[in-house]
Amino acid sequence: MDEYTVTTARCRSGTALVRQAELDRLVAAVTAPRAAEPAARPAEALLTVVGESGAGRTTLLEAVAARFAADGGRVLRADGSRSETHLAFSGLHQMLRPVRGRIDALPPRQRGALHVAFGVAERRGAPDPMLIGTAVLTLLSDLAAERPLLVVVDDAQWADPASLDALSFVARRLTDEPVTLLVATGDPTLRGLAVREPTLVLEPLGRGASERLLDLQPRVPTGVTRASVLDQAEGNPLALVELARAVAGHDSASRTGYGPLPVTERLGRVYADRLAALPAATRRAVVRLATVDGEDPPSTVLSWLPDIADPVWAPAEEAGLVRRSGGRLRCDHPLSRLAIYHAAPAEERRAAHLGLAGLFGDQDPDRHAWHLAAATSGPSAAVSARLEGGADRARHRSGHAAAAHMLERAADLHPDRDESTRLLGAATRAAVLTGRLDSVERLAARVRAATDDPTAAALAALQVGRLMLLTSSHNASFGHLMRPAAVLAGTVPAAAAEALAAAAVVRFYSGDAAQLHEIERLLPRASPPDGHRLGERGALLAAWAGVVAHPEAADARFALGLPALAAAAAEEPRTLILLATVAWLLDETELAARTYDAAFAARTAQGPLPDGLAGVAALAFLDQGRWARAQTACAELAAVASSAGLDHATACAAATEALLCALRGDVAGARTRARYALSLVDPRESRSVLVLAHRALGTAATVEGDHRTAFQHYRALFDDRGNPTHYHLSHPALPGLAAAAVRAGRHEDASRIVDGAERSLAEAGASAPRRAALVRLSRAVLAPAEEAEHHFTAALENPALARRPFERAQALLAYGEWLRRRRRISDARPPLVEADAVFRRLAAQPWVARAQSELRAAGARTGPAKPDAFDGLTPQQQQIVRLAARGLTNREVAERLYLSPRTVGSHLYRAFPKLGITVRSQLRHVVDDMAAEAGAGRDADARGGA
């Protein structure tokens, strides 16, 4: 081993030595024994290390990976690279390169998604990011089945966003896997993988540790020079090592010229001096190596560099700029690579990029375009076109951040102002799908500064509003949408309709009546003439905006045409989601749920953001009585929102989940989720979350028998005049409010609210059948004894209630209770039996207990009020059991649910004892029995509604 290699090893081992406590902590977490049972796994499958450049992140990761491999584990690694930050899935490709042969063993859809993501296959439409994540999860799970797996991501702040999103998806699903993700980043605000609290923060070394590291250097500085190094390094290990090397052999006076520069600038000066002192041929070779900017460059790039044994590298090695060891050639450290690159003369950097562009050529057009752009000093329409082509390829691979950056760079290079503006507008639209509001705002500002065309500026501003509507700033978002809508209404009506559709989403989230008036004022200008068919996008969006903003004013022809529109849009998931949403708002619950199912089944490419109020799918499934599917929809929305940092979407998912918890009797879970949802929003700007959360809290209080508290929460769903806080989400709580009021002595207050709801029916006419049933049911609870039965009967005869199993079962329970108190025992039993069956099927345990108690009081013989075996499973376990019962393999189930096969197997392993079975073939009988019971419940519902 040569002297330089020994010296470098000593420097690195010295850094590890002074970071021994941090190293021990990481090694303990990563090398903890793995076992088949999740209980034996470490608490965290994702470990994050945060520290500035030179703090020792890479050294620690290398030491941990070496220990893990020595213990028999497999290590996969990806190193973030500045030059590849905007190449979609480049980090994922680097990580999986050693095991790329295993990709072919994946299920066909997963294999195809990865091949498209890596640019080795063509496909119509972008692959679903969740399918790409599932493919990576399955691959890692398969590898971990052979031996424990450690995935190391270094310099994650430079990793491409598409790879980070895929790994974030994987990290959330590693509960049952012997896989650990170890991530190091210099940016504590990094989205995705480092959004949680870091496992380890590498603080600057203390004075004592800094002294020890200096003592480990080949030439130990002393005296005034030593004090200067310690002061200027400020506890940064790499700075200590490099400054010690820089001052070696010089007197202390020569070192005083550094002054109070930041560490990175000081080191930049050190590297610039070293680079300038190299022979010209060596300097060119080092600049080429720094320009490659890859830890493991392909053979074509290595052939472009001087051979590793070429004497040209010797001066650079002696200067501490490169390392040659283990047959590998690299810059000494990512920080040194950056310093070399920026210290190099601009012409040498451009020459290096031009050489790399020639190497990649047609075999890697994206890298070719990037290096060509870096080599271009002035405007170039040709290079701009190449970047635009790369952006198109990135979009097809769901690399939206890469596409946005390529388009922005293409705009910078294009000599034509109008074309540059067009490219900036396209970059703004692509950036929306990254979920990064700051990027979209910056690009929109660039468009405004680049053009005098108000239409172009308005189209860019529209993108800011589109993304802002998913945040909690609804008032600001509404303004960002309505201003461009007003401009576009006269020039691009279709874009104006898009802006108003987004504004209608804000109106739904906020529940603000003033926003309704503004939408209705502008909507006629954006609506196409009557001759345009609803199947056309602009016409559909305009009609959709009107329904979402004001369902009661919907054109009856639109509602009647929904089934035909859904059938015609069978292959268009985004359109199906729009149609499902308006179907739900118009109380067509079954059509809404069916259309959501069709949308999600047809979706081959899911954008990274919720679209068209798709988040209310969970409420549609809840209304339909598919609570496990509703739970999954909440989880999917929460995952998307979390990865994009969208607090309001996260709050929507949490509030809906809180309601599901309360309905199942999980009072603690309901309160935790509801309070979390409320903590993320301003209730004055988000009445939707406010209402859902208080409805969940009211339901939870009802479960505990605290009717006074329940009434207070339900009361928050209506203002002082009895008007609904939210025009669509408040009314479902009316029966709960009435029941709590009777028990809490607030009869008069509740009657005033029900009166207001009944008056609103006159305006709604036939467009609010569900509200009519809820008003009738509330009246029955509040009415004198001689009038109640009429209201109960009217409510139960309403078809809208029959389409919502839980609400109908609640009505049946209330009616049965009323009949029993009137001593009409034989009349009370049938509705109570029907209600009990529905509650059991839904696992609504508090209501099962009430129904059973009433049945016993009515003299009926009942079983214990405990959940059925299937109901005792978690929602995810229920989904897995249903799919496995249909004959799907664990891998097929995993792909459907975006899980790993091992997680599916783990859930089945836990479900079998709960279901009282021992083999997989028995699952069919469990599901058949459950379906038969559900069918009997539906038949009973139908008989009751006839």
Side-chain angles (χ1 to χ4, degrees):
M1 186 179 291
D2 58 47
E3 181 182 354
Y4 178 75
T5 302
V6 173
T7 299
T8 302
R10 287 181 61 192
C11 293
R12 288 180 174 267
S13 64
T15 302
L17 183 62
V18 296
R19 293 283 195 196
Q20 189 64 50
E22 293 95 329
L23 176 59
D24 290 344
R25 180 175 167 186
L26 287 176
V27 168
V30 167
T31 60
R34 293 299 197 264
E37 281 302 295
R41 282 185 42 76
E44 291 292 340
L46 170 63
L47 307 173
T48 57
V49 179
V50 176
E52 65 177 354
S53 294
R57 301 190 314 259
T58 300
T59 301
L60 286 176
L61 263 60
E62 288 178 350
V64 171
R67 187 79 61 86
F68 190 86
D71 288 345
R74 185 198 300 266
V75 178
L76 295 177
R77 182 176 180 123
D79 297 304
S81 162
R82 275 186 184 272
S83 70
E84 297 191 355
T85 298
H86 306 295
L87 294 176
F89 297 108
S90 57
L92 206 59
H93 187 271
Q94 180 191 161
M95 183 189 87
L96 297 180
R97 192 187 311 169
V99 293
R100 57 184 176 271
R102 304 290 289 267
I103 295 176
D104 291 336
L106 292 173
R109 291 180 66 238
Q110 297 179 30
R111 180 174 66 244
L114 272 187
H115 282 161
V116 172
F118 293 159
V120 297
E122 294 295 330
R123 177 176 175 175
R124 178 187 171 194
D128 182 349
M130 293 182 72
L131 186 59
I132 294 172
T134 303
V136 177
L137 178 63
T138 303
L139 181 55
L140 298 185
S141 177
D142 289 347
L143 293 169
E146 301 166 2
R147 49 182 166 143
L149 179 64
L150 174 65
V151 177
V152 176
V153 182
D154 196 7
D155 286 322
Q157 74 276 9
W158 296 333
D160 66 282
S163 294
L164 287 182
D165 287 343
L167 289 174
S168 297
F169 175 95
V170 170
R172 292 191 295 270
R173 290 162 174 80
L174 289 177
T175 306
D176 300 296
E177 307 295 337
V179 181
T180 301
L181 266 65
L182 178 58
V183 179
T185 175
D187 180 5
T189 64
L190 177 74
R191 60 176 279 190
L193 284 175
V195 293
R196 65 183 70 183
E197 288 295 318
T199 301
L200 184 64
V201 176
L202 298 181
E203 304 288 354
L205 297 178
R207 189 76 173 190
S210 298
E211 295 265 16
R212 291 196 299 275
L213 183 56
L214 281 185
D215 289 339
L216 291 167
Q217 301 313 303
R219 298 183 181 181
V220 181
T222 59
V224 175
T225 301
R226 181 184 182 92
S228 177
V229 169
L230 288 168
D231 289 340
Q232 294 190 25
E234 297 175 352
N236 183 285
L238 181 62
L240 285 161
V241 172
E242 293 297 336
L243 290 174
R245 182 191 298 276
V247 301
H250 295 269
D251 58 55
S252 59
S254 67
R255 293 297 94 210
T256 60
Y258 280 101
L261 299 173
V263 170
T264 52
E265 291 186 26
R266 284 198 299 271
L267 290 179
R269 180 179 293 184
V270 169
Y271 283 106
D273 291 346
R274 291 188 201 172
L275 193 65
L278 294 176
T282 300
R283 187 179 68 247
R284 284 193 298 272
V286 171
V287 172
R288 280 189 172 192
L289 180 62
T291 306
V292 169
D293 197 12
E295 194 66 26
D296 187 15
S299 56
T300 53
V301 174
L302 289 176
S303 67
W304 176 67
L305 296 168
D307 186 78
I308 190 171
D310 195 308
V312 74
W313 296 111
E317 197 171 42
E318 292 171 5
L321 297 177
V322 301
R323 278 193 290 155
R324 293 186 288 180
S325 62
R328 300 180 70 186
L329 172 71
R330 67 182 79 176
C331 290
D332 184 61
H333 187 277
L335 187 63
S336 65
R337 182 188 301 128
L338 287 174
I340 291 167
Y341 180 83
H342 289 294
E347 284 306 315
E348 288 191 11
R349 291 202 305 267
R350 282 197 287 270
H353 280 296
L354 193 61
L356 281 169
L359 276 180
F360 288 117
D362 294 334
Q363 60 181 297
D364 195 336
D366 292 347
R367 283 182 172 82
H368 171 74
W370 269 122
H371 285 293
L372 203 58
T376 303
S377 58
S380 171
V383 177
S384 176
R386 288 181 181 272
L387 285 171
E388 187 174 8
D392 288 339
R393 288 187 292 273
R395 275 198 297 258
H396 288 145
R397 299 197 300 271
S398 298
H400 304 293
H405 196 79
M406 285 182 168
L407 288 165
E408 184 178 13
R409 182 68 178 127
D412 292 339
L413 289 174
H414 207 290
D416 182 80
R417 183 184 181 192
D418 290 341
E419 277 296 291
S420 179
T421 301
R422 178 186 66 80
L423 290 165
L424 282 174
T428 309
R429 292 192 296 277
V432 169
L433 296 175
T434 69
R436 299 302 297 264
L437 182 59
D438 54 346
S439 296
V440 178
E441 289 177 324
R442 181 181 60 78
L443 287 165
R446 287 200 62 187
V447 173
R448 289 194 301 272
T451 182
D452 298 325
D453 180 3
T455 298
L459 287 169
L462 167 58
Q463 308 312 315
V464 176
R466 282 182 61 202
L467 186 52
M468 191 177 286
L469 74 84
L470 296 172
T471 70
S472 299
S473 303
H474 294 313
N475 289 338
S477 171
F478 191 77
H480 275 83
L481 290 165
M482 295 303 291
R483 284 190 292 274
V487 173
L488 296 168
T491 54
V492 191
E498 181 182 352
L500 289 174
V505 174
V506 178
R507 147 72 173 160
F508 180 88
Y509 287 149
S510 71
D512 190 337
Q515 293 176 353
L516 167 63
H517 301 320
E518 290 192 49
I519 292 172
E520 291 184 329
R521 178 179 56 81
L522 193 57
L523 196 56
R525 292 178 55 198
S527 300
D530 291 340
H532 286 249
R533 297 185 302 110
L534 279 175
E536 298 175 7
R537 183 75 178 176
L540 176 61
L541 284 176
W544 188 87
V547 174
V548 172
H550 195 184
E552 296 169 354
D555 188 327
R557 291 174 299 176
F558 186 27
L560 291 172
L562 283 175
L565 289 171
E571 301 300 322
E572 301 173 25
R574 291 185 64 197
T575 301
L576 287 171
I577 287 173
L578 295 175
L579 296 172
T581 301
V582 292
W584 176 72
L585 286 164
L586 295 174
D587 290 334
E588 296 293 339
T589 306
E590 291 179 354
L591 175 62
R594 188 167 66 246
T595 308
Y596 276 127
D597 283 334
F600 299 147
R603 184 172 56 192
T604 58
Q606 176 181 336
L609 302 177
D611 184 39
L613 274 180
V616 305
L619 294 172
F621 292 131
L622 188 155
D623 286 343
Q624 199 193 21
R626 294 166 59 191
W627 289 4
R629 183 65 186 90
Q631 184 79 43
T632 302
C634 287
E636 290 171 352
L637 175 60
V640 170
S642 174
S643 64
L646 301 171
D647 283 352
H648 188 265
T650 301
C652 290
T656 306
E657 192 174 20
L659 182 56
L660 280 164
C661 288
L663 293 173
R664 289 183 171 126
D666 180 5
V667 171
R671 287 187 178 132
T672 298
R673 302 305 293 159
R675 288 166 182 161
Y676 174 60
L678 291 171
S679 74
L680 295 174
V681 301
D682 179 347
R684 296 167 298 182
E685 289 200 38
S686 184
R687 294 172 179 86
S688 56
V689 172
L690 172 73
V691 165
L692 283 172
H694 277 286
R695 185 179 165 197
L697 292 169
T699 305
T702 298
V703 167
E704 291 190 320
D706 184 356
H707 301 294
R708 187 175 298 277
T709 299
F711 180 80
Q712 290 172 352
H713 286 298
Y714 288 134
R715 186 65 184 79
L717 276 57
F718 300 88
D719 66 17
D720 291 337
R721 296 186 299 276
N723 297 317
T725 303
H726 188 278
Y727 63 98
H728 191 77
L729 296 175
S730 288
H731 289 119
L734 280 172
L737 178 141
V742 169
R743 291 170 174 82
R746 304 297 295 272
H747 190 286
E748 184 177 342
D749 198 359
S751 295
R752 185 171 65 255
I753 292 171
V754 175
D755 287 343
E758 190 164 30
R759 284 193 300 273
S760 72
L761 288 172
E763 176 188 350
S767 65
R770 180 189 190 185
R771 194 188 317 170
L774 296 171
V775 166
R776 284 288 197 176
L777 185 55
S778 304
R779 284 279 185 229
V781 174
L782 296 168
E786 64 274 10
E787 299 177 13
E789 188 162 17
H790 167 69
H791 293 297
F792 275 124
T793 303
L796 289 167
E797 288 175 349
N798 190 313
L801 207 62
R803 293 192 289 267
R804 293 166 178 80
F806 182 74
E807 288 183 358
R808 176 171 169 78
Q810 281 187 305
L812 288 167
L813 175 59
Y815 185 36
E817 289 173 332
W818 183 87
L819 288 169
R820 187 190 64 77
R821 288 196 297 272
R822 306 277 81 74
R823 300 187 182 280
R824 295 166 56 181
I825 302 302
S826 60
D827 291 337
R829 288 174 184 163
L832 291 174
V833 168
E834 290 185 31
D836 178 59
V838 174
F839 293 144
R840 280 181 173 276
R841 178 169 62 84
L842 297 175
Q845 293 312 311
W847 282 267
V848 171
R850 276 182 56 187
Q852 295 250 317
S853 175
E854 287 294 327
L855 282 168
R856 286 192 295 271
R861 298 180 64 182
T862 66
K866 63 180 182 181
D868 294 337
F870 191 82
D871 294 337
L873 304 181
T874 67
Q876 191 169 74
Q877 286 171 348
Q878 290 179 1
Q879 282 188 296
I880 289 170
V881 165
R882 285 192 183 95
L883 292 172
R886 289 165 49 187
L888 274 68
T889 65
N890 284 7
R891 292 171 80 83
E892 291 169 334
V893 174
E895 184 172 300
R896 293 280 189 95
L897 301 181
Y898 302 111
L899 301 170
S900 75
R902 184 185 178 94
T903 296
V904 170
S906 232
H907 278 304
L908 287 173
Y909 177 80
R910 295 179 207 131
F912 276 25
K914 297 179 182 178
L915 297 173
I917 62 175
T918 56
V919 293
R920 195 182 187 99
S921 60
Q922 293 174 301
L923 289 173
R924 167 60 64 187
H925 302 300
V926 172
V927 173
D928 286 347
D929 290 346
M930 179 194 65
E933 181 181 342
R938 284 193 295 269
D939 290 343
D941 288 346
R943 289 193 300 273

